Amino acid sequence: MSTTKQNQKITVPEIIAMKKRGEKITALTAYDFLFASILDEARIDIILVGDSGAMVFAGHDNTLPITLDEMIYHTRAARRGVKRALLVTDMPFLSYQVSPEEALRNAGRCLKEGGAEAVKLEGGESIVETIHRIVVAGIPVMGHLGLTPQSVHAFGGYGLQGSSAEAAERLKKDAKLLEQAGVFSMVLEKIPALLAKEVSESISVPTIGIAAGPHCDGQVLVTHDMLGLYEKFRLKFVRRYAEVGATIRDAAEKFSRDVKSGSFPSAEESY
Ligand code: KIV
């Protein structure tokens, strides 16, 4: 199987080509320059400036409070760190639901002011017209189905979606509608693995799964979750690749001990 070349810039057509080649797509979130540049050096394919930043960066209880201006600020910071990856920005709650015109203007700001290369919108049938409007203006759109966190209050929490036969049918229909509206990929969040498999096999654009099993065309995680930095929840679907929160706490405790005992700074660390 051929794969993306070492320093090849990842573009929207390349993401679609990866599905055709059977090459899995990797995506992680970043909200600032430093994280974005490290993930880019690690050759992650898609760097998502997620509205999850409302929780893991800003400390809110859900993703609803983050504003478009804040998303653009985070995108500008991440932009400076990204050379290779495709940079995608989440459109925040109420920046695209009011009207297709407002959505297009706001999507445009993510590219013009933030430097994003694509935007992500949550939802199915109800936002198909909006997605089409953005896509025909030349702005690539990533869809997001299943557990769409901006609807947390409507769902009554962050539970599994698409588990009833009716909900599964609706999700399959929504995936087809998003494909027809022109999305270049879609996130499938917290749905049964077999439903994600069926959807992935039924559409030509890549599915990027989170809590959606192994059959998606790619996988995304919130970086602060998989690094063990955001420790508020321990989620079954998150593989912890590091314990960075514990490492930082340990380093800060050592620094504090050294300062209080007078062992830092030493003569060698002084001028
Ligand atoms: O906001 C976010 O980080 C996301 C991912 C979890 C897909 O939407």
Side-chain angles (χ1 to χ4, degrees):
M1 183 191 61
S2 62
T3 55
T4 312
K5 290 183 203 75
Q6 184 81 7
N7 288 317
Q8 179 179 348
K9 168 69 190 141
I10 304 296
T11 60
V12 162
E14 180 59 19
I15 293 293
I16 296 168
M18 286 166 85
K19 173 167 179 142
K20 295 211 167 74
R21 289 201 297 268
E23 179 181 347
K24 292 276 190 185
I25 298 159
T26 57
L28 286 171
T29 61
Y31 319 99
D32 63 26
F33 161 77
L34 200 55
F35 272 74
S37 54
I38 293 168
L39 301 182
D40 198 55
E41 280 161 19
R43 304 182 66 248
I44 294 300
D45 299 314
I46 297 174
I47 295 180
L48 172 67
V49 183
D51 59 359
S52 52
M55 299 173 74
V56 304
F57 180 91
H60 293 292
D61 287 337
N62 56 50
T63 61
L64 303 185
I66 201 160
T67 66
L68 182 64
D69 285 338
E70 286 167 342
M71 288 304 297
I72 290 170
Y73 172 79
H74 286 296
T75 305
R76 278 213 311 271
R79 175 73 277 166
R80 294 181 203 112
V82 177
K83 293 192 180 76
R84 176 184 176 274
L86 183 76
L87 185 65
V88 181
T89 294
D90 251 340
M91 293 194 68
F93 179 58
L94 276 200
S95 68
Y96 59 95
Q97 290 92 340
V98 175
S99 72
E101 287 70 30
E102 199 173 303
L104 173 57
R105 197 167 299 114
N106 290 337
R109 286 190 63 199
C110 294
L111 273 66
K112 232 171 139 75
E113 299 172 38
E117 292 157 292
V119 293
K120 177 164 80 58
L121 278 67
E122 295 182 6
E125 193 168 6
S126 64
I127 59 158
V128 160
E129 188 195 335
T130 296
I131 289 177
H132 184 66
R133 190 71 184 269
I134 298 173
V135 169
V136 295
I139 301 174
V141 174
M142 179 184 275
H144 188 153
L145 295 175
L147 174 62
T148 45
Q150 291 174 16
S151 302
V152 59
H153 297 309
F155 291 142
Y158 294 104
L160 186 70
Q161 300 297 310
S163 47
S164 71
E166 193 193 344
E169 279 313 308
R170 203 174 329 117
L171 193 136
K172 284 191 265 184
K173 189 173 152 220
D174 281 342
K176 280 274 173 208
L177 289 172
L178 292 194
E179 181 187 28
Q180 283 158 16
V183 300
F184 73 94
S185 64
M186 67 185 77
V187 167
L188 298 179
E189 179 162 353
K190 210 163 186 185
I191 61 171
L194 285 179
L195 175 59
K197 180 174 190 287
E198 242 189 283
V199 171
S200 302
E201 287 171 358
S202 72
I203 57 175
S204 60
V205 295
T207 58
I208 315 288
I210 175 163
H215 307 294
C216 294
D217 301 301
Q219 295 291 329
V220 59
L221 284 175
V222 171
T223 299
H224 291 51
D225 291 340
M226 70 87 148
L227 289 181
L229 252 178
Y230 187 71
E231 298 165 306
K232 207 164 160 181
F233 310 109
R234 187 120 210 173
L235 303 163
K236 160 186 159 95
F237 61 88
V238 174
R239 186 174 295 178
R240 284 247 189 127
Y241 286 88
E243 295 297 340
V244 177
T247 303
I248 294 173
R249 230 177 346 263
D250 183 51
E253 280 166 10
K254 283 184 180 138
F255 168 74
S256 181
R257 264 202 309 275
D258 290 353
V259 171
K260 287 183 188 291
S261 70
S263 77
F264 177 82
S266 64
E268 294 75 40
E269 287 158 330
S270 305
Y271 293 96

